[in-house]
Amino acid sequence: MKSRSLVAIDQIDKQELLDLLARAQYFEAHPNSKILDGKVVATLFFEPSTRTRLSFETAVNRLGGRVIGFSDASTSSTSKGETLKDTIKMVSNYADIIVMRHFIEGAAQYATEVTDVPIVNAGDGANQHPSQTLLDLYSILKTQGTLEGLTITMVGDLKYGRTVHSLLMAMRHFKPVFNFVSSDELRMPQEYLDVCEREGIEYHLHTEFSEDIINSSDILYMTRVQRERFSDVMEYEKVKNLYTLHNAMLDGSKPTLRILHPLPRVNEISTDVDDNPKAYYFEQARNGVFARQAILTRALGIDPLKL
Amino acid sequence: MTSSKKELAVAALRNGTVIDHIPSRALFTAVRILGIEGLDTSVTIGNNLASERLGSKGIIKVADVEFAEDVLNRIALIAPDAMVNIIRDYEVVEKRHVSLPDTLVGIVRCSNPKCVTNHEKIPTRFIVSGHGADVRLRCHYCNHTVSGAEAATIQ
Ligand SMILES: [Zn+2]
């Protein structure tokens, strides 16, 4: 079986996405096993991200694999000026697979070019974060029972938010209808609207976060609106509260609506939403372990469904 | 020698390559991309010559060298109208335009300061899409995308 790196979600086709989701489903039913027994997984976090690292390391531990690595570049040889290439080459001698996060964009792609050990991108700056997208996809599948023909409303920072871009690219296989809700300054970039045009995907741009939009949605995907994204502070002050979800706004929504958020949130989802059964963002993170078990086994060429 | 004869001596090429219709501002970049500084055959470079189409153009004549097509195509981004003439025994035996390859390796710098190509010693790689004025270059590493016109100014 082939072992394969995962750098970006749009490098894999619909069939492979479905294969990964089937694996995630399997691991949710069978979270603990020994199928990574004897495997060494390196987690190289050149940029700290406790949330993502713990999720990956839990995924490995529950499958019986071992973890080596570092959680912060200051404790690694990078701080002594070692190049990324040299670090990857060195670790390749020890590990069966490398999970890496880096603030440098394109770092994971480059890593695949200097080693034969499969690379899993756990985030490279503002560029790609495919395990986040897979867990989003798995959360949608799990809560809706299908990925096909859903109305997905993305709210907040649609310009810089890499999670919404990757989710759009992954969902494009499943005939969605998109609502893009943001201020003009943070609207969905043209290249992604072009993708929708090319693929014949219906989409609507909104600046107002109205109940009509919420009521038509199957998934509400909320993102953080960060002050530093605005060239004009006044503009930020004007829009910062326009894209906040409050519990009262959900009164007319579909019973099956679920609210997702990549976390951590700031104030874009009011805490009064947390107890609403439609709030799914805390469980969403839990799905990350299954999604990462799926990614790790695929990269290592281990098929849990055929063991 | 009269001045007209001198001009002729420079202009006439027995064997080699003439690259014409290079925008003046791109001439020396083209010289660098093609590695012409390293050649020891006779090279003639003219710049700021009158051109109806470009206003002002440059021209490169290299004796006894025929460049590979993929080498010449490396200047297509900065000199999209460049015309290549292959000369053999004083005759133009081939005349063609340069054309932009599907990927551009090691020519354009990535303008994203956080891109790995600006931190590690690796040649840049851009995926080219679109045509003419709509050419877009996407970085193979960081996915940062620029128009062809923007990219042509980043060296
Ligand atoms: Zn780049």
Side-chain angles (χ1 to χ4, degrees):
Chain A
M1 217 183 211
K2 267 195 298 182
S3 65
R4 280 164 298 181
S5 295
L6 181 60
V7 172
I9 204 77
D10 48 359
Q11 288 175 339
I12 58 179
D13 62 19
K14 181 176 181 176
Q15 194 47 51
E16 284 182 289
L17 269 181
L18 293 172
D19 169 68
L20 279 167
L21 292 165
R23 286 169 185 260
Q25 229 154 13
Y26 172 87
F27 287 120
E28 177 155 22
H30 308 89
N32 301 306
S33 74
K34 291 278 168 219
I35 67 173
L36 292 189
D37 190 23
K39 300 286 186 196
V40 174
V41 179
T43 54
L44 311 186
F45 279 62
F46 298 90
E47 171 192 58
S49 170
T50 307
R51 188 183 301 276
T52 303
R53 187 173 56 81
L54 291 183
S55 180
F56 266 109
E57 294 186 356
T58 302
V60 176
N61 279 299
R62 288 196 178 279
L63 297 180
R66 298 292 187 123
V67 177
I68 60 169
F70 49 84
S71 55
D72 184 337
S74 67
T75 64
S76 78
S77 48
T78 313
S79 61
K80 300 194 187 93
E82 186 176 60
T83 65
L84 175 60
K85 179 180 179 176
D86 289 5
T87 305
I88 296 295
K89 286 265 189 212
M90 179 266 291
V91 174
S92 296
N93 292 320
Y94 310 137
D96 298 295
I97 183 168
I98 295 172
V99 176
M100 61 182 281
R101 186 183 183 97
H102 209 302
F103 48 90
I104 297 294
E105 297 169 15
Q109 174 61 41
Y110 176 56
T112 66
E113 295 168 13
V114 302
T115 182
D116 292 329
V117 172
I119 300 288
V120 173
N121 186 4
D124 59 332
N127 190 26
Q128 303 287 332
H129 192 8
S131 65
Q132 173 70 47
T133 311
L134 190 67
L135 86 84
D136 290 343
L137 225 52
Y138 184 59
S139 299
I140 295 171
L141 175 65
K142 203 170 131 183
T143 59
Q144 306 298 316
T146 179
L147 291 175
E148 299 285 343
L150 299 172
T151 297
I152 297 183
T153 298
M154 300 177 173
V155 185
D157 178 358
L158 306 187
K159 183 175 181 185
Y160 300 101
R162 71 175 166 194
T163 55
V164 292
H165 301 159
S166 297
L167 185 60
L168 181 155
M169 292 305 285
M171 284 303 299
R172 79 188 194 281
H173 302 297
F174 304 101
K175 293 233 167 301
V177 174
F178 286 124
N179 289 305
F180 300 132
V181 183
S182 72
S183 67
D184 277 332
E185 191 150 346
L186 295 181
R187 74 197 280 269
M188 186 61 79
Q190 188 59 42
E191 57 181 297
Y192 293 101
L193 302 181
D194 290 345
V195 169
C196 292
E197 299 280 354
R198 250 197 332 267
E199 309 260 340
I201 293 168
E202 182 182 337
Y203 69 89
H204 308 277
L205 296 167
H206 310 271
T207 51
E208 197 199 339
F209 187 24
S210 73
E211 290 189 25
D212 282 349
I213 298 167
I214 295 173
N215 295 349
S216 74
S217 302
D218 297 301
I219 291 289
L220 212 46
Y221 196 98
M222 304 295 297
T223 64
R224 272 191 306 289
V225 175
Q226 291 163 288
R227 184 197 298 267
E228 57 267 31
R229 298 302 193 196
F230 284 82
S231 48
D232 180 354
V233 182
M234 287 303 289
E235 184 65 24
Y236 169 76
E237 292 300 326
K238 235 166 46 193
V239 307
K240 69 174 180 186
N241 294 320
L242 293 180
Y243 304 102
T244 298
L245 181 66
H246 299 282
N247 200 33
M249 296 161 74
L250 296 167
D251 287 349
S253 62
K254 292 185 186 181
T256 52
L257 170 77
R258 288 298 176 270
I259 302 147
L260 305 187
H261 188 295
L263 301 181
R265 76 172 149 174
V266 184
N267 64 348
E268 54 282 350
I269 302 177
S270 158
T271 51
D272 67 5
V273 180
D274 294 357
D275 293 329
N276 191 314
K278 294 171 185 175
Y280 193 72
Y281 30 94
F282 295 120
E283 288 152 279
Q284 180 186 356
R286 185 171 166 266
N287 292 331
V289 173
F290 313 130
R292 289 174 176 118
Q293 288 176 322
I295 288 168
L296 290 166
T297 54
R298 172 187 176 271
L300 285 164
I302 298 168
D303 190 345
L305 306 168
K306 290 193 187 130
L307 281 178
Chain B
M1 248 199 285
T2 68
S3 74
S4 67
K5 271 185 179 165
K6 216 185 267 172
E7 267 176 28
L8 192 68
V10 170
L13 201 58
R14 181 175 190 147
N15 294 302
T17 304
V18 177
I19 307 164
D20 199 359
H21 300 296
I22 302 168
S24 285
R25 61 182 148 61
L27 178 78
F28 288 100
T29 309
V31 166
R32 184 171 54 75
I33 289 174
L34 294 172
I36 285 169
E37 289 116 316
L39 296 176
D40 48 15
T41 60
S42 80
V43 172
T44 312
I45 294 169
N47 204 11
N48 302 322
L49 308 170
S51 160
E52 260 177 49
R53 203 161 4 135
L54 302 171
S56 164
K57 68 170 184 178
I59 187 166
I60 302 170
K61 302 182 183 190
V62 183
D64 302 323
V65 174
E66 290 181 16
F67 295 91
E69 190 169 349
D70 61 332
V71 172
L72 289 167
N73 284 343
R74 290 160 64 87
I75 68 166
L77 183 69
I78 55 160
D81 297 317
M83 178 65 86
V84 177
N85 301 271
I86 312 283
I87 317 281
R88 288 182 199 147
D89 201 18
Y90 301 106
E91 299 278 335
V92 176
V93 295
E94 198 185 329
K95 204 174 170 73
R96 61 182 157 79
H97 279 291
V98 293
S99 65
L100 206 52
D102 296 339
T103 55
L104 272 181
V105 178
I107 296 171
V108 182
R109 195 167 56 74
C110 185
S111 58
N112 173 8
K114 292 181 73 185
C115 178
V116 69
T117 59
N118 289 316
H119 292 265
E120 296 266 323
K121 281 204 180 80
I122 29 171
T124 60
R125 175 182 288 267
F126 285 87
I127 320 301
V128 180
S129 65
H131 299 279
D134 294 328
V135 164
R136 310 276 301 164
L137 272 67
R138 182 173 57 79
C139 176
H140 163 70
Y141 293 98
C142 74
N143 290 302
H144 190 74
T145 303
V146 290
S147 70
E150 284 172 89
T153 65
I154 312 165
Q155 296 297 329

